[in-house]
């Protein structure tokens, strides 16, 4: 069965610092997508960034970028110049395109940005 | 707005009562998903609808849980004879299509319904 592991239950950094959230996954599929979602206290699950497994280039979205290491099955999220509004739960998820198309979720990392 | 909407935002009920949760997907999205999120935990898949195909009910935890969707629009998740362990946030998401690949696979979420069973 496919699994997604986020080994950091909670992290906190000072505003403007850079922080990296780790995620590893386990899949035997060759065609899959990886996602980072953010869930602030408002509960709204917001897509942060996505990565297609067939693409070697790391996805970036403004201050958010990923370090996708396919061989190591690692998909970390880097947040540069962190802001107070980045405080949220961050979930890593994978989506198999060849089998059941289900999003498999990690347990989440609680990120706190301190002023 | 153009996003996924859910109602009610909060629901308090007594053990044994039935509840109905509603989800309005983004217009034009053919795929719709329900998830459950217990306090401090990740998301559990419950059920998925794709167009007029038979739904994937593989995540429903018991026969007390059911869901319906009218065409490619509104969906309702029904929990019968609620139990205290049903207390959670129920999230709905939609995507353009689950089968097309590419950007269509990205799921967009509603704000959720927080259910508390006393």
């Amino acid at each position: 069965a496919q699994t997604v592991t986020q080994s950091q239950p909670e992290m906190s950094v000072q505003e403007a610092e850079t922080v990296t959230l780790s995620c590893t996954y386990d899949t035997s599929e060759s065609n899959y997508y990886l996602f980072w979602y953010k869930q602030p206290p408002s509960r709204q699950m917001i897509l942060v960034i996505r990565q297609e497994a067939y693409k070697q280039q790391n996805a970036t979205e403004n201050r958010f970028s990923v370090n996708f290491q396919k061989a190591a099955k690692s998909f970390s999220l880097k947040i540069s110049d962190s802001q107070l509004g980045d405080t949220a739960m961050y979930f890593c998820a994978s989506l198999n395109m060849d089998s059941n198309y289900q999003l498999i979720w990690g347990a989440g990392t609680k990120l706190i940005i301190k002023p | 707005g153009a996003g996924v909407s859910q109602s009610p935002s909060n629901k308090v009920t007594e053990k044994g009562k039935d509840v109905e949760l509603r989800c309005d997907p983004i217009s034009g999205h053919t795929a719709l998903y329900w998830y459950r999120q217990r306090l401090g935990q990740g998301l559990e898949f419950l059920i998925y609808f794709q167009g007029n195909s038979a739904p994937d009910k593989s995540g429903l935890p018991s026969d007390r849980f059911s869901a319906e969707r009218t065409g490619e629009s509104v969906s309702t998740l029904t929990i019968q004879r609620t139990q205290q362990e049903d207390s959670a946030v129920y999230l709905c998401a939609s995507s353009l299509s689950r089968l097309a690949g590419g950007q269509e696979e990205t799921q967009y979420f509603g704000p959720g319904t927080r259910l508390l069973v006393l």
Side-chain angles (χ1 to χ4, degrees):
Chain A
Q2 190 170 2
T3 58
V4 175
T5 303
Q6 293 178 249
S7 59
Q8 305 150 312
E10 183 169 327
M11 296 184 71
S12 66
V13 297
Q14 294 294 136
E15 191 176 8
E17 289 183 348
T18 294
V19 60
T20 298
L21 309 183
S22 65
C23 173
T24 58
Y25 60 94
D26 184 16
T27 180
S28 57
E29 306 286 344
S30 59
N31 188 13
Y32 56 93
Y33 289 74
L34 297 165
F35 302 84
W36 277 98
Y37 280 88
K38 163 186 175 180
Q39 188 178 39
S42 66
R43 285 200 316 250
Q44 184 82 48
M45 192 72 79
I46 302 165
L47 176 69
V48 175
I49 201 165
R50 55 175 272 151
Q51 173 82 42
E52 292 89 337
Y54 63 85
K55 287 187 178 178
Q56 292 187 335
Q57 186 174 8
N58 288 326
T60 64
E61 195 70 43
N62 300 315
R63 297 182 296 107
F64 299 88
S65 62
V66 299
N67 183 6
F68 176 45
Q69 302 289 327
K70 191 171 183 177
K73 295 183 179 177
S74 170
F75 182 61
S76 60
L77 174 70
K78 185 172 85 171
I79 306 174
S80 303
D81 185 27
S82 57
Q83 300 175 0
L84 297 179
D86 295 334
T87 293
M89 284 290 293
Y90 286 80
F91 291 94
C92 178
S94 69
L95 177 68
N96 269 335
M97 303 299 290
D98 291 334
S99 56
N100 62 9
Y101 280 80
Q102 276 194 24
L103 261 180
I104 307 298
W105 295 81
T109 296
K110 183 177 182 180
L111 176 64
I112 300 170
I113 308 300
K114 297 179 288 187
Chain B
V4 178
S5 61
Q6 292 186 246
S7 60
S9 56
N10 293 282
K11 176 72 177 177
V12 180
T13 190
E14 292 179 346
K15 178 182 173 181
K17 295 283 180 67
D18 298 352
V19 295
E20 270 192 5
L21 313 180
R22 176 187 170 108
C23 171
D24 282 89
I26 293 172
S27 178
H29 280 197
T30 62
L32 186 147
Y33 311 76
W34 282 99
Y35 295 90
R36 178 171 69 181
Q37 185 179 27
R38 290 197 164 109
L39 186 64
Q41 297 186 20
L43 276 67
E44 299 172 69
F45 166 77
L46 295 177
I47 189 169
Y48 147 74
F49 297 89
Q50 171 65 60
N52 294 317
S53 303
D56 176 356
K57 304 179 182 180
S58 60
L60 293 178
S62 77
D63 58 8
R64 296 185 297 104
F65 287 73
S66 63
E68 293 183 349
R69 188 182 186 193
T70 306
E72 295 182 353
S73 60
V74 172
S75 175
T76 55
L77 176 70
T78 301
I79 309 173
Q80 296 178 307
R81 306 180 302 281
T82 51
Q83 303 294 314
Q84 289 180 333
E85 64 261 28
D86 299 334
S87 295
V89 174
Y90 290 82
L91 291 164
C92 174
S94 69
S95 66
L96 267 173
S97 169
R98 200 191 204 194
L99 304 177
Q103 293 289 341
E104 291 85 350
E105 300 306 322
T106 299
Q107 295 181 25
Y108 297 89
F109 285 78
T113 294
R114 185 181 300 278
L115 175 65
L116 177 61
V117 182
L118 301 176

